[in-house]
Amino acid sequence: METIRTARLHLKRFEEKDIPQLMNIANDPLLRKHTGDSFPHPYDLAAAQFWVKEGAKQEYGHQEFGIFLWECLIGGGGIELGKGREMKNMHVGYWIGEKYRGQGYATEFLQAMVDYAFKTYDIERVRSGVYSYNPASARVMEKSWFLREGCLRNAIFYNGVLADLRIYGLTRVDFEEKKSF
């Protein structure tokens, strides 16, 4: 897998040497709240080793990236190609460590992933979901040209509370139009 470079970031595959940084940055209860139940908390050595060796395996249509500021791991994210009738769709997700939030890194990552996805795959749309209690991620979507396409009301149940799942999408046509400005 190639390394994708942006103005400030290197997006690349996780390696065993990243395990200590991954444990440190991912051991944040807010990440589980914002990313879902598949993100363990506490994020211990076993979780980090599993992710680097198994969870972040690369295959066609599914790629996971560490988000690095130089050699410092600041987050992670990935893309996954839709299956069957959704084969022209790609899902994107991301997370940023606590001390790196609010500095534009998630937006920079998302814009790079969208560009990479449209250049690499025969897709027509990139999509993602944002929990209603995560307005910062909704803003990242909007700054990256995604449109809020819908809302699944009371679709998320976390710690005894119901929340909405907001659906965001960006078509190839809209992306090419926005990118040309």
Side-chain angles (χ1 to χ4, degrees), residues 39-51:
F39 203 96
H41 184 77
Y43 206 98
D44 58 15
L45 178 61
Q49 288 173 329
F50 173 81
W51 184 248

Side-chain angles (χ1 to χ4, degrees), residues 53-137:
K53 292 177 183 174
E54 299 294 327
K57 281 186 177 175
Q58 310 299 311
E59 58 186 51
Y60 182 79
H62 184 174
Q63 293 179 272
E64 298 291 337
F65 296 85
I67 304 172
F68 292 84
L69 182 61
W70 302 107
E71 290 300 314
C72 179
L73 178 66
I74 66 167
I79 52 177
E80 185 171 11
L81 192 59
K83 306 225 182 325
R85 293 180 183 189
E86 293 188 15
M87 67 185 189
K88 294 289 188 177
N89 288 266
M90 182 154 277
H91 179 264
V92 64
Y94 54 87
W95 58 269
I96 299 291
E98 182 177 21
K99 74 180 191 176
Y100 301 100
R101 294 178 194 140
Q103 299 175 54
Y105 298 126
T107 302
E108 195 169 329
F109 169 81
L110 183 57
Q111 290 175 357
M113 277 297 93
V114 167
D115 187 62
Y116 176 79
F118 281 128
K119 285 180 180 175
T120 305
Y121 297 97
D122 181 24
I123 59 170
E124 292 301 320
R125 186 170 179 279
V126 178
R127 64 180 171 79
S128 194
V130 176
Y131 303 148
S132 57
Y133 51 74
N134 190 357
S137 194

Side-chain angles (χ1 to χ4, degrees), residues 138 142 146-152 164-169:
E142 292 160 2
F146 282 68
L147 296 176
R148 183 173 160 188
E149 297 178 328
C151 178
L152 304 177
D164 297 342
L165 176 62
R166 296 177 179 154
I167 307 301
Y168 285 83

